Every structure is written in structure tokens, then in C-alpha cells.
Amino acid sequence: MLRLRSVAILADKHSQEWLCYGDAAIIPFERMSRHRRKQIFLLGFMGSGKSTVGELLSRKLQWPFIDLDTVIEAGQGVTIREIFERSGEPFFRQIERAALTEVLKTEPAVIALGGGTFAYGANVELIRESGGTTIWLDCSLQTLRKRCATMQNRPLFRDPESFEHLLDLRLPYYRLAEFSVSTEDRDAGEVTEQILRLRAF
Ligand code: S3P
């Protein structure tokens, strides 16, 4: 299997090529399981609306809603910010991966991922192999910044420059989602309606 040291996007799922992250080689989309499970993964940068839209979407579908960050906090008994402060990001990514593995067992479910979940380790592969639907909630940098500026529980929201840099690093991963839906200037109700119209699940 192809292995590269740094992030390299060689193509996207439509052209049957490869994404590599660190030492993890991610298999082409077409080789993934074609079985469609009743799972919807909402992904996107912090502030994109994953939790708000996820909750509403789950009510409309009458499927359980799972917020991965909430699962992690409940499991550790502390906030995400405290996990980052006490144990650092690598530890957070380990428990995020473990929580994701657990969450994948629930079906049906609407699952709001953390902003970094889809961009770390082999999480993309794990999620796509599970056979659910992946939806990127897309939003401009300016709007994301505005939404996050007042929120306290986001350890990776430090300053405008690093925020933008992190978004740039993540975009290639978010683009691997099967669908993208804009949350720019739209409320959760409108976004949810558009997701339901995708008729992908
Ligand atoms: C993170 C985003 C957060 C949370 C953690 C790390 C990230 O989730 O998982 O602070 O790496 O972007 P939200 O996207 O729900 O804020």
C-alpha cells in the first residue's frame, strides 16, 4: 500500500486515486463498502454548525443524535479544553479515535464529528468504510471566526492566523466528504431541509 510521510492529496474520490496522511494510506473511495448504513456524519470546521444542524436533523429523521465531543467529555468527565490543557492534543486524538470507534456501532444515528476528526490518522478511512453518508458543512473563514470568537470550549481557536492556517490544512480532507452543504447565511432549519433533500440515506 502506498505510504507517504506528509499530507498529499493526489486526487479525490471521483478519480479513484489516493489520499495519504502521515503513515496512513487511505484506500480509494470506490473500494469502500457499498452497503449504505443509516448513519449520517456531519463534518466541518469548528463553528460550521455540526452540533446545531445535527440535533435538528436527528429530530426530523427520528434517529438518535450523537455529538462526538460530548461523548468524549462524558467519558473523561472533563471538558475538551481541560483534556487539551492537561494531556495535550495527541492524547485527545487518541481518545477521539476510540470514541469514534464506539460511536460507529450505533445505527441509525446522526453523528456530529469534531472539527479535526475527519482530518486525523486513519479516521477518514474508518468513517467511509462504515458505509454511512458524509456531509461537509461548509462555511467561510470570516463567518467561522465570528461564530467561534465568543465560544470558550475551543482550545484550537487561538488567534486569527493559526485559525486560518488550520482551516487551510483541513479543507482537503473536508472535500473528501460525499456531499457539501453551505451553512453560510442560513439557519439550521434551512440547512437541515437541504440535507433531507439529498435523499442519500
Ligand atoms: C477540534 C474541534 C472541536 C473539538 C476539539 C478539536 C478541532 O470540535 O473536537 O476542540 O480539531 O478542530 P468542534 O468542531 O465541535 O468545535
Side-chain angles (χ1 to χ4, degrees), residues 44-47 50-51 67 69 80 84 89 92-93 96 113-117 120 153-156 166 170 174:
F45 209 54
M46 48 191 130
K50 301 178 295 289
S51 303
D67 188 314
D69 284 343
I80 299 282
F84 268 77
E89 184 172 354
F92 173 77
R93 295 301 167 197
E96 180 182 53
L113 301 174
T117 318
Y120 278 88
N153 197 24
R154 291 208 160 88
L156 291 181
L166 192 59
R170 301 265 176 87
Y174 297 157

Side-chain angles (χ1 to χ4, degrees), residues 74-87:
Q76 298 293 308
V78 287
T79 65
I80 299 282
R81 176 170 288 283
E82 284 165 329
I83 299 170
F84 268 77
E85 282 169 3
R86 289 181 195 175
S87 313

Side-chain angles (χ1 to χ4, degrees), residues 106-145:
T106 305
E107 182 184 3
V110 175
I111 300 157
L113 301 174
T117 318
F118 209 63
Y120 278 88
N123 291 346
V124 184
E125 190 178 21
L126 189 66
I127 291 166
R128 298 200 317 188
E129 271 177 347
S130 95
T133 304
T134 49
I135 303 174
W136 169 30
L137 300 187
D138 187 15
C139 197
S140 73
L141 171 68
Q142 291 69 22
T143 301
L144 293 169
R145 256 194 205 139

Side-chain angles (χ1 to χ4, degrees), residues 11-24:
D12 67 15
K13 63 190 183 234
H14 302 294
S15 58
Q16 291 209 352
E17 292 183 36
W18 301 77
L19 161 76
C20 294
Y21 178 85
D23 278 341

